[in-house]
Every structure is written in C-alpha cells, then in structure tokens.
C-alpha cells in the first residue's frame, strides 16, 4: 500500500484470500500508523487543537476499534484503516468502513479527542459541566431512541449520537466547536445546544495552557498485544452488532404483506425483501444512521420470519 510519502510497504497477507487472512492474529499484522494517510489526519487534528490555542495533544495508537478509554488522555484508531486490503475485509464482514474517508476519519478523531480531553482534565467533576451535559456516571443504555427534532444537542456523528450519553454529548459538542469553519454561532443560534458550545469555548480557553491532571501514556488493547485472530475479532464484532429478537416484527410484516392463502400465486414477501435488500438497507441507513450490518441483520431476520409466516 502506498504511504503518504509515496513509499510502498508490502505485506504478504495483502494478496491472501479472506479465508486465509482471517486466520491471522491481529498482533501479527505488522501495521503501524507511521507513514500512512492516518498520520496526516492525526497531524491535522493536532493543528486544529493548536489553532484553538490548546496545548494538549492526545496520544494515539492502533487497536481493534475507535475508542478513548476512561482515565486515559488518548485515543485508539482501528487497524483496518492502515491498509486498503484490511479495509476491503472490513467492508466484506461489516458492510461499511467506519472512518474510511479523510472527512469521516477527521470527524471521528475530533469526537475522540473530546473524550481524551475530558479524561485528561477530568471535566466531568466540574459542577457547570454537569449542569450542561449531565453526570458522566450515568450508565450507557443498550439502546436509545433519539429525538430527531431536538435542538438540545449538536449534530455531528450519525444517529444523533450526542443524545446517547452525557460523555457523548460533550464529545460531540467539542467536535463541532473544534471543526474549522463550522460557523457554530450561526448554525446553532437560538438552539439550547448553543449554550453548550459557548461553555465549551469558555472551558477550552480556561485550560488552554494548563497541563493535564492525568498524564498517563497507557495504550489499552494496543494492536501489538491483541492475540485473537481476525476471524475471532469479526465473529465477536458481528455478534455485538447483531440484533436480538425473533418475532418482534410480526405485526409490521403482517401489515405490509398478506397471508399466502389470501394471495395464491403472488410473489412471496421473503423473495420481495431479498430482491430489494440492498436498496432497503441503504435507505434505512440514510434515515436512521444505523450500522449497515445491523440493518442487514434485521432484514435477514425479517426475510426468514416472512417465509415462516408464508406472507406474500
């Protein structure tokens, strides 16, 4: 794969079929951030922080997914973004490559940098932070139903992610504030979310030249220490993103389709859904911001259930 400096790094597994590549351990991939397009994105993130007068720089490492762990002022980037072959594998297993474009990568980096800043300076302990965003100790919900018309929150990542948890609300607000030329003062004028953005600007000015309270350079779940195979990784990831239901959509399916004995000779509902599966998946993802893999699993469940109910 060509690096940002035009130097090609060759990996034997780049030409392997998926069946063989999936048996490779994550720690044996041998990929690094250095020399890739990701390094440019991280440098740009640092430049944006500098332009805002913020001295803090989150340290960055490779892992199996995007995250900034509690108590660590840094952020992890998923390994698959380091090489086009790994991005193809990610798409084949998960139907998307999260952060796979420069623009999307920067959006997520700004969000994770917000988490890293919170961890570094322990913002969640401040009374005014809690007044604006809530308590960080709030348990993360398994599912949340966002209010799409709400003006209490900024809109940055998909699926109105700021509404999922106080920590995510802060990280999303910070990302909007940090983005160059975001024009948040005009965009959010009159919104309750405007006051959160104004508070973030005040807060960043207060800590701009301060040294973080938490300075550890720990790298939890660093790629070099992950000994599971790519197959194990994707089995776990697909299980995590798979919905847990069976007959939950019976009522909706029976409203959309009719029983087979009432429509003999018509196309089965299962065949119809299967034929339009990709189009439906794309539309649902655009409207909800849900993971394509999750939506595809829902459709798979609906197709099987429609077949069992003999709908047409």
């Amino acid at each position: 794969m060509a690096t940002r400096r035009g130097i090609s790094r060759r990996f034997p597994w780049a030409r392997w079929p998926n069946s063989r590549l999936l048996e490779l351990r994550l720690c044996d991939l041998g990929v690094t951030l250095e020399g890739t397009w990701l390094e440019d994105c991280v440098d740009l993130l640092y430049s944006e922080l500098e332009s805002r007068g913020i001295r803090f720089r989150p340290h960055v490492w490779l892992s199996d997914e995007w995250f900034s762990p509690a108590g660590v002022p840094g952020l992890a980037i998923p390994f698959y973004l380091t090489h086009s072959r790994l991005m193809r594998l990610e798409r084949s297993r998960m139907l998307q490559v999260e952060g796979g474009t420069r623009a999307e990568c920067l959006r997520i980096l700004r969000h994770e940098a917000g988490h890293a800043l919170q961890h570094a300076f322990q913002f969640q302990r401040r009374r005014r932070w809690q007044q604006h965003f809530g308590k960080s100790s709030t348990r993360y919900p398994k599912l949340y139903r966002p209010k799409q018309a709400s003006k209490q929150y900024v809109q940055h990542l998909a699926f109105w992610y700021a509404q999922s948890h106080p920590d995510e609300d802060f990280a999303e607000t910070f990302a909007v504030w940090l983005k160059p030329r975001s024009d948040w003062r005009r965009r959010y004028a009159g919104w309750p979310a405007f006051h959160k953005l104004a508070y973030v600007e005040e807060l960043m000015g207060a800590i701009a030249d301060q040294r973080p309270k938490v300075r550890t350079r720990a790298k939890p779940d660093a790629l070099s220490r992950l000994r599971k195979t790519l197959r194990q990784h994707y089995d776990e990831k697909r299980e995590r993103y798979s919905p847990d239901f069976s007959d939950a959509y019976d009522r909706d399916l029976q409203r959309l389709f009719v029983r087979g004995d009432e429509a003999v000779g018509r196309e089965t509902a299962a065949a119809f859904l299967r034929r339009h599966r990709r189009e439906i998946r794309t539309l649902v993802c655009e409207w909800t911001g849900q993971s394509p893999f999750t939506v595809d699993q829902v459709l798979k469940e609906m197709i099987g259930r429609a077949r069992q109910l003999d709908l047409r």
Side-chain angles (χ1 to χ4, degrees):
M1 178 181 180
T3 69
R4 66 175 187 165
R5 296 177 179 82
I7 302 172
S8 178
R9 292 192 63 193
R10 299 186 181 280
F11 297 94
W13 44 256
R15 295 181 178 275
W16 293 357
N18 284 358
S19 57
R20 184 180 178 187
L21 180 56
L22 286 168
E23 301 308 321
L24 190 65
R25 297 188 305 177
L26 292 174
C27 61
D28 294 329
L29 285 169
V31 294
T32 63
L33 283 169
E34 290 72 24
T36 69
W37 68 284
L38 295 170
E39 195 173 16
D40 284 331
C41 290
V42 172
D43 287 346
L44 187 53
L45 171 68
Y46 290 167
S47 295
E48 291 177 2
L49 291 169
E50 182 179 8
S51 70
R52 291 290 195 167
I54 300 173
R55 178 179 177 182
F56 171 74
R57 301 289 182 272
H59 65 288
V60 179
W61 67 96
L62 288 178
S63 188
D64 55 353
E65 60 181 329
W66 290 100
F67 67 97
S68 177
V72 177
L75 62 96
I77 296 178
F79 67 91
Y80 57 78
L81 293 177
T82 61
H83 198 284
S84 59
R85 177 67 182 92
L86 298 175
M87 284 195 272
R88 291 200 302 274
L89 179 66
E90 176 76 10
R91 187 176 298 280
S92 73
R93 306 302 289 179
M94 301 305 300
L95 304 179
Q96 68 171 344
V97 180
E98 189 179 19
T101 66
R102 180 183 175 90
E104 186 181 12
C105 182
L106 285 168
R107 278 198 299 272
I108 300 175
L109 281 173
R110 294 183 189 111
H111 173 94
E112 297 299 344
H115 284 309
L117 263 164
Q118 179 186 335
H119 301 154
F121 291 93
Q122 298 290 284
F123 294 145
Q124 71 276 8
R125 297 181 179 179
R126 302 184 181 216
R127 181 173 298 179
R128 288 189 62 202
W129 191 96
Q130 294 177 14
Q131 289 172 347
H132 283 288
F133 301 104
K135 291 190 175 182
S136 181
S137 58
T138 301
R139 183 173 297 182
Y140 269 85
K142 290 185 178 180
L143 293 171
Y144 69 97
R145 188 180 298 276
K147 299 176 181 178
Q148 300 178 16
S150 175
K151 295 186 177 182
Q152 298 281 345
Y153 306 88
V154 298
Q155 297 174 359
H156 179 64
L157 295 181
F159 204 44
W160 301 272
Y161 196 44
Q163 299 184 35
S164 65
H165 189 272
D167 288 355
E168 305 304 341
D169 189 7
F170 171 75
E172 288 286 85
T173 305
F174 173 81
V176 168
W177 174 84
L178 181 64
K179 182 182 178 182
R181 300 177 296 280
S182 68
D183 196 16
W184 61 267
R185 293 184 182 279
R186 183 190 62 81
R187 170 71 175 82
Y188 291 96
W191 288 39
F194 180 91
H195 301 293
K196 296 179 182 179
L197 285 158
Y199 170 70
V200 165
E201 179 157 83
E202 178 187 336
L203 184 61
M204 292 305 110
I207 61 94
D209 294 322
Q210 293 182 11
R211 292 177 65 83
K213 295 180 178 180
V214 179
R215 303 176 193 174
T216 177
R217 304 292 288 182
K219 300 177 180 179
D221 293 329
L223 190 67
S224 60
R225 296 194 295 270
L226 297 180
R227 301 192 178 279
K228 59 186 175 182
T229 66
L230 283 161
R231 186 180 301 281
Q232 291 170 328
H233 163 72
Y234 282 113
D235 284 348
E236 293 171 4
K237 189 171 184 178
R238 287 160 67 95
E239 177 67 23
R240 195 162 62 248
Y241 278 82
S242 294
D244 183 22
F245 49 74
S246 54
D247 58 356
Y249 291 101
D250 281 10
R251 180 180 298 178
D252 293 320
L253 285 169
Q254 290 167 344
R255 289 175 61 190
L256 291 167
F257 304 104
V258 297
R259 296 200 312 267
D261 58 2
E262 298 176 359
V264 178
R266 293 188 189 178
E267 181 181 23
T268 66
F272 175 86
L273 290 170
R274 189 165 51 248
R275 180 157 55 87
H276 294 285
R277 185 170 177 171
R278 178 176 295 183
E279 181 182 1
I280 295 171
R281 185 180 70 215
T282 299
L283 289 171
V284 173
C285 288
E286 288 177 353
W287 277 96
T288 67
Q290 277 284 12
S291 156
F293 178 79
T294 298
V295 175
D296 198 65
Q297 295 304 296
V298 172
L299 285 169
K300 181 179 179 181
E301 184 79 17
M302 292 176 71
I303 289 169
R305 190 61 180 157
R307 187 183 299 112
Q308 290 178 347
L309 295 172
D310 188 26
L311 300 177
R312 297 180 182 272

